[in-house]
């Protein structure tokens, strides 16, 4: 069991400063009923319980909120006081939560929730439970305004607090060994495995993004607050669309120039790029500098064991980055790296295949990140590298087709610009799902194909020695892709 921090101790972990908001009691007949000594349903002794909790914790409710700075960024912070009746949700706590959400929306500041709750307060009956609807509605308004929600799961985070503030956040961090789950410890089946209700288990099941030690929490929350602020403000971005350097042309030669925004150098696009709203430039190539001579050369180069993969590209492109993990449906794909990184002072969401067959959970995670990028105003970068989508029975049972369709739709309907770079194998639709229409680039040691040459030859009943010739027929080399209009250009190594 993790250490149970007080509300203010949790605030001190992450905040540079904090100014608590003093709630104003609501007026009206219903409010008088809710503020009665024993609460809205007249639970005997409830008033005395609240008074004792206030003396013990120094707080008048289970929720504290106010304005704060985190890593120098203005935020609105919510913190639960577990010592006040188990951090349970009440009508007064609902007032405070709704007020915090609305303040974050009105000010356009990230909302950081430091959660520690056992659920809804039974002493207020259904009045307490309906606070979940209020929180959900406030969260919807905040999402619609494009304001980030960052949750930190303390011990315990269970019941409605997990199912609203926690699981409903854009970024979900957790303290090590924190109890996390919809069912609290006293209401689970007697034979339930307690290890399934931990932050570690939720991470493995794709329900949270990262487990962060208390001493590292300030840095993690500061990163996400800064990323959200960068998305809102559209920090600096060169009007030409990014870096300058050598680019190969479609004929296999090379020329020097800039990476232009999609559609050319129109005034509106140039102004958008200058304000930080344009696409990010593709990374430079890290592998072989020369283009393949034949189609089979392209395939062998892309499959070479020593070729740079996604992690190398992400390390070279981003000064700092943090992970977004899991599809929120019970799955994680270790071959799909997702998160947000800082490139040239700009926050960029990324989705990167690592060279393995992509699982349905990977596509769902990627779609989640693209959608989140759109809400928060972040451009996105996708790195394509897969022999194809996983096609075994387990993948089919996990909804491979639906997951791929979801990602195709997310990229096609992206609210912020997406830049894609083919860095290795581009195996059929399982790779194309990550490709931005009109803004996909390729490295010299990559290929894109409707089908693998070996499979094409098998379908056509060709002999194994005919596979290289089939690769040529498929026109899958990077320079072929440029000529066909599938990719915009071929990136070269940085000079």
């Amino acid at each position: 069991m993790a250490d149970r921090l007080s509300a203010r101790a949790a605030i001190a972990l992450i905040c540079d400063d904090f100014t608590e908001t003093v709630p104003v009691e609501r007026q009206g007949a219903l409010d008088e009923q809710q503020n009665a000594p024993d609460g809205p349903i007249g639970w005997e002794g409830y008033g005395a319980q609240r008074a004792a909790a206030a003396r013990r914790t120094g707080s008048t409710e289970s929720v504290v909120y106010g304005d704060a700075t985190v890593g120098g960024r203005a935020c609105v912070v919510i913190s639960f006081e577990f010592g006040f009746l188990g951090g349970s949700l009440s009508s007064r706590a609902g007032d405070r939560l709704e007020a915090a959400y609305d303040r974050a929306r009105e000010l356009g500041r990230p909302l950081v929730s430091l959660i520690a709750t056992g659920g809804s307060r039974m002493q207020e009956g259904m009045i307490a439970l309906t606070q979940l609807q209020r929180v959900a509605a406030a969260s919807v308004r905040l999402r619609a305004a494009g304001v980030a929600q960052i949750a930190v799961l303390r011990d315990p985070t269970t019941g409605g607090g997990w199912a609203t503030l926690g699981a409903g956040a854009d970024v979900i961090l957790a303290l090590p060994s924190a109890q996390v789950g919809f069912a609290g410890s006293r209401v689970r089946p007697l034979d339930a495995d307690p290890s399934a209700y931990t932050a570690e288990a939720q991470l493995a099941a794709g329900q949270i993004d990262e487990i962060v030690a208390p001493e590292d929490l300030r840095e993690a929350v500061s990163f996400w607050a800064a990323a959200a602020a960068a998305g809102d403000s559209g920090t600096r971005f060169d009007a030409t669309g990014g870096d300058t350097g050598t680019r190969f042309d479609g004929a296999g030669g090379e020329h020097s120039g800039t990476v232009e925004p999609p559609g050319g150098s129109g005034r509106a696009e140039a102004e958008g790029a200058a304000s930080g709203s344009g696409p990010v430039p593709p990374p430079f190539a890290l592998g072989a500098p020369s283009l393949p001579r034949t189609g089979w050369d392209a395939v062998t180069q892309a499959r070479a064991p020593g070729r740079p993969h996604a992690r190398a590209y992400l390390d070279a492109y981003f000064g700092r980055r943090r992970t977004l993990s899991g599809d929120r449906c019970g799955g994680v794909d270790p071959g799909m790296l997702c998160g947000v990184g800082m490139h040239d002072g700009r926050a960029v969401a990324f989705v990167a295949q690592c060279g393995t067959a992509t699982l349905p959970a990977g596509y769902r995670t990627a779609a989640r990140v693209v959608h989140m990028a759109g809400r928060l105003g972040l451009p996105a970068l996708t790195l394509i590298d897969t022999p194809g989508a996983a096609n075994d029975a387990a993948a089919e049972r996990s909804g491979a087709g639906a997951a791929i369709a979801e990602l195709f739709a997310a990229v096609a309907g992206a609210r912020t610009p997406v830049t894609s770079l083919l860095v290795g194998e581009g195996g059929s639709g399982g790779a194309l799902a990550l490709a931005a229409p009109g803004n996909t680039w390729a490295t010299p040691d990559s290929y894109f194909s409707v089908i693998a040459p070996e499979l094409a030859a098998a379908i056509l009943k060709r002999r194994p020695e005919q596979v290289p010739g089939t690769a040529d027929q498929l026109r899958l080399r990077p320079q072929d892709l440029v000529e066909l209009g599938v990719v915009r250009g071929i990136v070269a190594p940085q000079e």
Side-chain angles (χ1 to χ4, degrees):
M1 183 179 293
D3 292 335
R4 287 184 173 166
L5 300 168
S6 70
R8 289 167 180 80
I11 289 170
L13 271 182
I14 67 162
C15 294
D16 308 326
D17 56 64
F18 176 76
T19 302
E20 183 175 349
T21 298
V22 179
V24 177
E25 295 293 344
R26 296 184 300 166
Q27 302 298 318
L30 179 60
D31 302 312
E32 289 177 9
Q33 184 184 34
Q34 291 174 345
N35 294 327
D38 283 336
I41 64 172
W43 184 285
E44 185 177 356
Y46 177 40
Q49 290 176 320
R50 286 190 297 188
R55 288 192 298 271
R56 184 170 58 252
T57 64
S59 179
T60 58
E61 248 305 334
S62 60
V63 171
V64 172
Y65 79 98
D67 298 330
T69 55
V70 179
R73 305 285 178 174
C75 300
V76 174
V77 172
I78 293 169
S79 189
F80 279 73
E81 180 56 73
F82 187 78
F84 194 101
L85 300 181
S88 53
L89 297 176
S90 66
S91 58
R92 287 180 177 176
D95 291 343
R96 297 183 180 194
L97 292 172
E98 186 175 47
Y101 275 83
D102 287 346
R103 183 163 180 79
R105 176 174 55 86
E106 291 162 4
L107 298 176
R109 296 177 180 175
L111 179 70
V112 181
S113 299
L114 307 172
I115 309 169
T117 175
S120 299
R121 192 170 300 171
M122 61 183 175
Q123 293 94 329
E124 294 192 14
M126 282 300 298
I127 296 298
L129 193 63
T130 58
Q131 303 310 306
L132 304 183
Q133 294 172 317
R134 292 180 69 189
V135 172
S139 177
V140 167
R141 293 193 295 270
L142 198 58
R143 279 175 171 254
V147 178
Q149 300 177 46
I150 303 163
V152 177
L153 312 182
R154 295 153 53 204
D155 184 55
T157 298
T158 59
W162 165 230
T164 50
L165 289 93
D170 297 301
V171 180
I172 308 175
L173 311 176
L175 293 177
S177 303
Q179 181 186 175
V180 179
F182 186 66
S185 60
R186 297 184 184 181
V187 297
R188 299 169 191 156
L190 294 177
D191 60 349
D193 178 5
S195 66
Y197 302 85
T198 62
E200 288 74 12
Q202 298 290 2
L203 178 66
Q207 305 297 348
I208 66 176
D209 292 305
E210 190 177 3
I211 294 174
V212 184
E215 61 271 21
D216 299 325
L217 193 59
R218 182 185 293 257
E219 179 183 352
V221 177
S222 296
F223 175 90
W224 289 112
D232 290 338
S233 62
T235 52
R236 57 193 174 84
F237 184 58
D238 182 70
T240 61
D243 58 333
T244 60
T246 302
R247 296 289 185 270
F248 291 99
D249 61 31
E254 48 181 73
H255 66 278
S256 295
T258 60
V259 184
E260 296 180 354
S265 55
R267 181 177 178 182
E269 290 197 30
E271 290 176 351
S275 68
S277 60
V280 295
F284 285 99
L286 300 178
S290 58
L291 291 171
R293 185 177 60 85
T294 68
W296 190 242
D297 287 342
V299 173
T300 56
Q301 284 184 9
R303 294 176 179 174
R307 172 183 58 78
H309 286 75
R311 289 184 189 277
Y313 278 92
L314 295 175
D315 288 343
Y317 195 76
F318 295 116
R320 290 188 300 153
R321 59 184 168 93
R322 295 197 81 96
T323 299
L324 293 167
S325 177
D327 65 357
R328 302 297 184 262
C329 298
V332 174
D333 182 356
M336 181 76 84
L337 295 179
C338 297
V340 171
M342 291 298 206
H343 175 76
D344 194 25
R346 192 178 186 192
V348 181
F350 64 83
V351 171
Q353 292 169 315
C354 296
T356 57
T358 303
L359 304 177
Y363 292 112
R364 285 191 288 264
T365 304
R368 176 173 75 89
V369 172
V370 173
H371 286 309
M372 188 192 82
R375 285 197 309 275
L376 302 184
L378 305 178
L381 171 70
T382 67
L383 301 181
I384 303 165
D385 185 9
T386 180
N391 58 4
D392 56 9
E396 294 297 339
R397 285 193 292 267
S398 295
I404 295 170
E406 183 181 1
L407 181 55
F408 265 118
V411 173
R415 295 168 56 186
T416 50
V418 180
T419 300
S420 300
L421 179 62
L422 177 66
V423 300
E425 291 194 82
S428 194
L432 188 65
L434 274 74
N439 197 28
T440 295
W441 303 79
T443 62
D445 50 356
S446 66
Y447 79 87
F448 224 144
S449 180
V450 64
I451 190 173
E454 298 92 335
L455 298 179
I459 291 172
L460 296 172
K461 298 182 180 180
R462 293 179 176 178
R463 297 183 303 276
E465 60 268 25
Q466 293 178 290
V467 169
T470 303
D472 286 332
Q473 283 185 291
L474 288 168
R475 298 204 63 196
L476 47 72
R477 300 177 304 166
Q479 57 267 46
D480 296 327
L481 301 174
V482 174
E483 290 182 5
L484 293 169
V486 176
V487 302
R488 286 186 59 181
I490 303 166
V491 298
Q494 188 171 17
E495 294 179 345

